[in-house]
Amino acid sequence: SQQGEEDPQALSIQEGENATMNCSYKTSINNLQWYRQNSGRGLVHLILIRSNEREKHSGRLRVTLDTSKKSSSLLITASRAADTASYFCAPGRGGSEKLVFGKGTKLTVNP
Amino acid sequence: EPEVTQTPSHQVTQMGQEVILRCVPISNHLYFYWYRQILGQKVEFLVSFYNNEISEKSEIFDDQFSVERPDGSNFTLKIRSTKLEDSAMYFCASSETARAGETQYFGPGTRLLVL
């Protein structure tokens, strides 16, 4: 399966702290994406990292990818209350266009 | 910034009725998708659509579901005879291509409640 599994399932931090979420997957991939979902809303694409990249930054987001361990992490620095959402990883594999989502990490940032 | 739009935002229907959920994908995108999310559960893939054909569908997408691109802008999901278990958020998405892991842009969703 190309599904990613996010860990932890839930994370609660204070505003200003960093939040780290992890993703593990089982098959080889071409790339991996992270999405955010605010409660009851659609998914918003955050960042895509390709299999030949090890680290990528976008604003306060930092994503790492370790293909040997089949894992990725998403770091949100200096978190804000508005970062409160569920975060999902979506491994991308050749030959399939669908995205397969896990249960996500529910992040709560307390003001 | 271009975005995917969906209508209606909420739909309440009686079991056995037909519903049509509408989506307007981003204008230069060629690939379209429907996903659904039952309350408290994962976002699940239903179907992908390209060049006026279904390119992939999940086991959920049975004969009661159909998709159509009736004109140059709309993409619709029809549920022929709704069941209670069809109650969910339905998300439309679109992408420029269908390369593996290509970024898909999601709409805000239609919340369907079947009574």
Side-chain angles (χ1 to χ4, degrees):
Chain A
S1 168
Q2 64 191 98
Q3 178 179 312
E5 293 293 342
E6 298 87 357
D7 175 71
Q9 288 187 20
L11 181 60
S12 182
I13 59 173
Q14 294 299 121
E15 212 165 22
E17 293 179 342
N18 295 341
T20 300
M21 289 156 269
N22 301 297
C23 169
S24 60
Y25 56 91
K26 293 184 177 167
T27 62
S28 60
I29 60 171
N30 290 333
N31 54 45
L32 186 143
Q33 300 181 71
W34 285 89
Y35 284 80
R36 182 188 76 217
Q37 184 182 32
N38 291 79
S39 180
R41 304 297 301 270
L43 290 102
V44 174
H45 178 259
L46 295 176
I47 196 166
L48 180 151
I49 186 166
R50 302 197 186 283
S51 59
N52 61 353
E53 297 175 307
R54 291 295 166 257
E55 187 171 312
K56 198 163 182 179
H57 297 252
S58 176
R60 292 184 296 113
L61 305 180
R62 173 180 165 245
V63 169
T64 63
L65 179 64
D66 187 336
T67 52
S68 66
K69 294 181 179 176
K70 292 187 169 56
S71 67
S72 173
S73 68
L74 171 67
L75 168 69
I76 304 173
T77 59
S79 63
R80 305 166 182 167
D83 295 327
T84 294
S86 291
Y87 291 81
F88 301 89
C89 66
R93 214 176 64 166
S96 176
E97 60 217 29
K98 67 184 179 190
L99 296 178
V100 181
F101 295 98
K103 294 181 181 177
T105 291
K106 187 170 183 179
L107 173 66
T108 302
V109 182
N110 301 300
Chain B
E1 186 174 326
E3 57 183 22
V4 176
T5 59
Q6 290 185 242
T7 53
S9 58
H10 294 77
Q11 173 107 34
V12 181
T13 190
Q14 295 291 323
M15 190 170 58
Q17 295 294 305
E18 174 183 287
V19 295
I20 297 176
L21 310 183
R22 291 183 167 79
C23 168
V24 179
I26 294 172
S27 62
N28 64 332
H29 286 187
L30 301 177
Y31 293 82
F32 316 114
Y33 313 84
W34 284 101
Y35 294 80
R36 80 171 185 190
Q37 186 178 33
I38 294 171
L39 187 64
Q41 298 189 22
K42 299 177 188 180
V43 175
E44 301 172 290
F45 168 78
L46 291 178
V47 66
S48 57
F49 189 86
Y50 168 69
N51 201 26
N52 283 320
E53 287 185 346
I54 290 174
S55 51
E56 187 175 1
K57 61 181 180 179
S58 72
E59 291 177 356
I60 303 167
F61 194 88
D62 61 23
D63 291 345
Q64 69 161 341
F65 291 93
S66 62
V67 289
E68 192 178 30
R69 188 151 162 84
D71 53 44
S73 60
N74 290 286
F75 179 51
T76 62
L77 174 69
K78 182 192 288 186
I79 309 175
R80 250 181 289 280
S81 177
T82 50
K83 304 171 189 169
L84 296 176
E85 54 265 35
D86 294 328
S87 295
M89 279 286 278
Y90 287 81
F91 296 107
C92 173
S94 69
S95 64
E96 281 188 69
T97 74
R99 286 195 303 266
E102 174 76 23
T103 297
Q104 294 180 19
Y105 295 86
F106 284 76
T110 293
R111 185 175 297 279
L112 176 65
L113 178 60
V114 182
L115 302 176

Short mmCIF file of all heavy atoms in Angstrom, two decimals, chain A residues 75-109:
data_model
loop_
_atom_site.label_atom_id
_atom_site.label_comp_id
_atom_site.label_asym_id
_atom_site.label_seq_id
_atom_site.Cartn_x
_atom_site.Cartn_y
_atom_site.Cartn_z
N LEU A 75 8.30 19.55 10.24
CA LEU A 75 8.54 20.43 11.38
C LEU A 75 7.90 21.77 11.10
O LEU A 75 8.14 22.37 10.04
CB LEU A 75 10.05 20.60 11.59
CG LEU A 75 10.49 21.70 12.56
CD1 LEU A 75 10.09 21.34 13.99
CD2 LEU A 75 11.99 21.93 12.48
N ILE A 76 7.09 22.21 12.04
CA ILE A 76 6.53 23.57 11.97
C ILE A 76 7.20 24.37 13.07
O ILE A 76 7.09 24.03 14.26
CB ILE A 76 5.00 23.57 12.18
CG1 ILE A 76 4.31 22.65 11.17
CG2 ILE A 76 4.44 24.99 12.08
CD1 ILE A 76 2.82 22.48 11.41
N THR A 77 7.92 25.39 12.70
CA THR A 77 8.62 26.19 13.70
C THR A 77 7.75 27.36 14.15
O THR A 77 6.88 27.84 13.42
CB THR A 77 9.94 26.73 13.14
OG1 THR A 77 9.65 27.54 11.99
CG2 THR A 77 10.87 25.61 12.73
N ALA A 78 8.00 27.80 15.37
CA ALA A 78 7.30 28.97 15.92
C ALA A 78 5.81 28.88 15.65
O ALA A 78 5.21 29.75 15.01
CB ALA A 78 7.89 30.26 15.33
N SER A 79 5.20 27.84 16.16
CA SER A 79 3.80 27.55 15.83
C SER A 79 2.87 28.66 16.29
O SER A 79 3.15 29.41 17.24
CB SER A 79 3.38 26.22 16.45
OG SER A 79 3.46 26.31 17.85
N ARG A 80 1.74 28.75 15.58
CA ARG A 80 0.70 29.73 15.88
C ARG A 80 -0.62 29.01 16.10
O ARG A 80 -0.79 27.88 15.63
CB ARG A 80 0.55 30.69 14.69
CG ARG A 80 1.84 31.37 14.28
CD ARG A 80 1.70 32.03 12.93
NE ARG A 80 2.95 32.66 12.51
CZ ARG A 80 3.19 33.09 11.27
NH1 ARG A 80 2.25 32.99 10.34
NH2 ARG A 80 4.35 33.65 10.96
N ALA A 81 -1.54 29.66 16.75
CA ALA A 81 -2.85 29.04 16.97
C ALA A 81 -3.49 28.64 15.65
O ALA A 81 -4.20 27.63 15.56
CB ALA A 81 -3.75 30.00 17.75
N ALA A 82 -3.23 29.43 14.58
CA ALA A 82 -3.80 29.14 13.27
C ALA A 82 -3.25 27.86 12.64
O ALA A 82 -3.80 27.37 11.65
CB ALA A 82 -3.57 30.31 12.33
N ASP A 83 -2.18 27.32 13.21
CA ASP A 83 -1.63 26.05 12.70
C ASP A 83 -2.43 24.86 13.21
O ASP A 83 -2.19 23.72 12.78
CB ASP A 83 -0.17 25.89 13.13
CG ASP A 83 0.74 26.93 12.51
OD1 ASP A 83 0.47 27.35 11.37
OD2 ASP A 83 1.72 27.33 13.18
N THR A 84 -3.35 25.10 14.11
CA THR A 84 -4.19 24.02 14.63
C THR A 84 -4.96 23.39 13.48
O THR A 84 -5.73 24.06 12.78
CB THR A 84 -5.17 24.56 15.69
OG1 THR A 84 -4.43 24.99 16.82
CG2 THR A 84 -6.17 23.49 16.10
N ALA A 85 -4.73 22.10 13.25
CA ALA A 85 -5.32 21.39 12.11
C ALA A 85 -4.87 19.94 12.19
O ALA A 85 -4.06 19.56 13.04
CB ALA A 85 -4.84 22.01 10.79
N SER A 86 -5.35 19.13 11.25
CA SER A 86 -4.83 17.78 11.07
C SER A 86 -3.86 17.79 9.89
O SER A 86 -4.10 18.48 8.90
CB SER A 86 -5.96 16.79 10.81
OG SER A 86 -6.74 16.62 11.98
N TYR A 87 -2.78 17.04 10.03
CA TYR A 87 -1.74 17.02 9.02
C TYR A 87 -1.59 15.60 8.48
O TYR A 87 -1.54 14.64 9.25
CB TYR A 87 -0.42 17.52 9.61
CG TYR A 87 -0.47 19.00 9.92
CD1 TYR A 87 -1.07 19.44 11.11
CD2 TYR A 87 0.02 19.95 9.03
CE1 TYR A 87 -1.16 20.81 11.39
CE2 TYR A 87 -0.06 21.31 9.31
CZ TYR A 87 -0.65 21.72 10.49
OH TYR A 87 -0.74 23.06 10.76
N PHE A 88 -1.51 15.50 7.17
CA PHE A 88 -1.46 14.21 6.50
C PHE A 88 -0.28 14.14 5.54
O PHE A 88 0.04 15.13 4.88
CB PHE A 88 -2.74 13.98 5.66
CG PHE A 88 -4.00 14.02 6.45
CD1 PHE A 88 -4.67 15.21 6.67
CD2 PHE A 88 -4.55 12.86 6.97
CE1 PHE A 88 -5.85 15.26 7.39
CE2 PHE A 88 -5.73 12.89 7.69
CZ PHE A 88 -6.37 14.08 7.91
N CYS A 89 0.32 12.96 5.47
CA CYS A 89 1.33 12.75 4.44
C CYS A 89 0.72 11.87 3.35
O CYS A 89 -0.17 11.07 3.61
CB CYS A 89 2.59 12.11 5.02
SG CYS A 89 2.38 10.42 5.63
N ALA A 90 1.21 12.04 2.14
CA ALA A 90 0.71 11.27 1.00
C ALA A 90 1.90 10.86 0.15
O ALA A 90 2.41 11.67 -0.63
CB ALA A 90 -0.30 12.09 0.19
N PRO A 91 2.36 9.62 0.30
CA PRO A 91 3.45 9.14 -0.55
C PRO A 91 2.98 8.99 -1.98
O PRO A 91 1.86 8.55 -2.21
CB PRO A 91 3.79 7.77 0.05
CG PRO A 91 3.12 7.74 1.39
CD PRO A 91 1.94 8.63 1.28
N GLY A 92 3.81 9.38 -2.93
CA GLY A 92 3.45 9.28 -4.34
C GLY A 92 4.28 8.21 -5.02
O GLY A 92 5.51 8.22 -4.95
N ARG A 93 3.60 7.28 -5.68
CA ARG A 93 4.30 6.18 -6.34
C ARG A 93 3.97 6.17 -7.81
O ARG A 93 2.88 6.50 -8.21
CB ARG A 93 3.85 4.87 -5.70
CG ARG A 93 4.92 3.81 -5.63
CD ARG A 93 4.43 2.60 -4.90
NE ARG A 93 3.33 1.96 -5.61
CZ ARG A 93 2.89 0.73 -5.32
NH1 ARG A 93 3.43 0.07 -4.35
NH2 ARG A 93 1.89 0.21 -5.98
N GLY A 94 4.88 5.78 -8.60
CA GLY A 94 4.66 5.73 -10.03
C GLY A 94 3.50 4.84 -10.39
O GLY A 94 3.28 3.81 -9.79
N GLY A 95 2.73 5.25 -11.35
CA GLY A 95 1.66 4.41 -11.87
C GLY A 95 0.32 4.62 -11.21
O GLY A 95 -0.66 4.01 -11.58
N SER A 96 0.28 5.46 -10.20
CA SER A 96 -1.02 5.70 -9.55
C SER A 96 -1.19 7.18 -9.32
O SER A 96 -0.29 7.83 -8.83
CB SER A 96 -1.11 4.93 -8.24
OG SER A 96 -2.33 5.23 -7.57
N GLU A 97 -2.31 7.69 -9.67
CA GLU A 97 -2.53 9.12 -9.52
C GLU A 97 -3.31 9.46 -8.24
O GLU A 97 -3.38 10.60 -7.86
CB GLU A 97 -3.30 9.64 -10.72
CG GLU A 97 -4.65 8.98 -10.89
CD GLU A 97 -5.04 8.75 -12.34
OE1 GLU A 97 -4.16 8.58 -13.18
OE2 GLU A 97 -6.24 8.74 -12.61
N LYS A 98 -3.91 8.47 -7.60
CA LYS A 98 -4.73 8.80 -6.43
C LYS A 98 -3.83 9.07 -5.23
O LYS A 98 -2.70 8.59 -5.14
CB LYS A 98 -5.67 7.66 -6.11
CG LYS A 98 -4.98 6.40 -5.64
CD LYS A 98 -5.97 5.28 -5.43
CE LYS A 98 -5.25 4.01 -4.98
NZ LYS A 98 -6.14 2.84 -4.98
N LEU A 99 -4.34 9.87 -4.31
CA LEU A 99 -3.66 10.10 -3.04
C LEU A 99 -4.32 9.20 -2.00
O LEU A 99 -5.54 9.06 -1.97
CB LEU A 99 -3.78 11.56 -2.62
CG LEU A 99 -3.10 12.58 -3.54
CD1 LEU A 99 -3.34 14.00 -3.04
CD2 LEU A 99 -1.61 12.30 -3.67
N VAL A 100 -3.50 8.60 -1.17
CA VAL A 100 -4.01 7.73 -0.10
C VAL A 100 -3.60 8.35 1.22
O VAL A 100 -2.40 8.53 1.48
CB VAL A 100 -3.44 6.30 -0.23
CG1 VAL A 100 -4.02 5.42 0.88
CG2 VAL A 100 -3.77 5.73 -1.60
N PHE A 101 -4.56 8.68 2.02
CA PHE A 101 -4.30 9.38 3.28
C PHE A 101 -4.46 8.44 4.46
O PHE A 101 -5.30 7.55 4.47
CB PHE A 101 -5.28 10.54 3.45
CG PHE A 101 -5.11 11.62 2.41
CD1 PHE A 101 -5.93 11.67 1.29
CD2 PHE A 101 -4.12 12.59 2.55
CE1 PHE A 101 -5.77 12.65 0.33
CE2 PHE A 101 -3.96 13.58 1.60
CZ PHE A 101 -4.78 13.61 0.48
N GLY A 102 -3.62 8.68 5.47
CA GLY A 102 -3.77 7.97 6.74
C GLY A 102 -4.70 8.73 7.66
O GLY A 102 -5.49 9.57 7.22
N LYS A 103 -4.59 8.45 8.94
CA LYS A 103 -5.47 9.09 9.92
C LYS A 103 -4.98 10.49 10.30
O LYS A 103 -5.72 11.27 10.88
CB LYS A 103 -5.57 8.23 11.17
CG LYS A 103 -6.27 6.90 10.93
CD LYS A 103 -6.37 6.08 12.21
CE LYS A 103 -7.06 4.73 11.94
NZ LYS A 103 -7.12 3.89 13.16
N GLY A 104 -3.72 10.79 9.99
CA GLY A 104 -3.23 12.12 10.24
C GLY A 104 -2.75 12.35 11.65
O GLY A 104 -2.96 11.53 12.55
N THR A 105 -2.08 13.48 11.84
CA THR A 105 -1.72 13.97 13.17
C THR A 105 -2.57 15.19 13.44
O THR A 105 -2.54 16.15 12.67
CB THR A 105 -0.23 14.36 13.23
OG1 THR A 105 0.57 13.20 13.13
CG2 THR A 105 0.08 15.08 14.54
N LYS A 106 -3.30 15.13 14.54
CA LYS A 106 -4.13 16.27 14.93
C LYS A 106 -3.30 17.18 15.83
O LYS A 106 -2.97 16.82 16.95
CB LYS A 106 -5.39 15.80 15.65
CG LYS A 106 -6.36 16.91 15.93
CD LYS A 106 -7.69 16.38 16.42
CE LYS A 106 -8.68 17.52 16.62
NZ LYS A 106 -10.00 17.03 17.07
N LEU A 107 -2.96 18.34 15.31
CA LEU A 107 -2.13 19.30 16.04
C LEU A 107 -3.02 20.38 16.65
O LEU A 107 -3.84 20.98 15.96
CB LEU A 107 -1.12 19.96 15.10
CG LEU A 107 -0.30 21.10 15.70
CD1 LEU A 107 0.63 20.59 16.80
CD2 LEU A 107 0.51 21.82 14.61
N THR A 108 -2.82 20.59 17.94
CA THR A 108 -3.50 21.69 18.64
C THR A 108 -2.44 22.64 19.16
O THR A 108 -1.53 22.22 19.89
CB THR A 108 -4.35 21.18 19.81
OG1 THR A 108 -5.30 20.24 19.32
CG2 THR A 108 -5.08 22.34 20.49
N VAL A 109 -2.52 23.90 18.76
CA VAL A 109 -1.60 24.92 19.24
C VAL A 109 -2.38 25.84 20.16
O VAL A 109 -3.30 26.54 19.74
CB VAL A 109 -0.98 25.72 18.09
CG1 VAL A 109 0.01 26.75 18.64
CG2 VAL A 109 -0.31 24.79 17.09
#
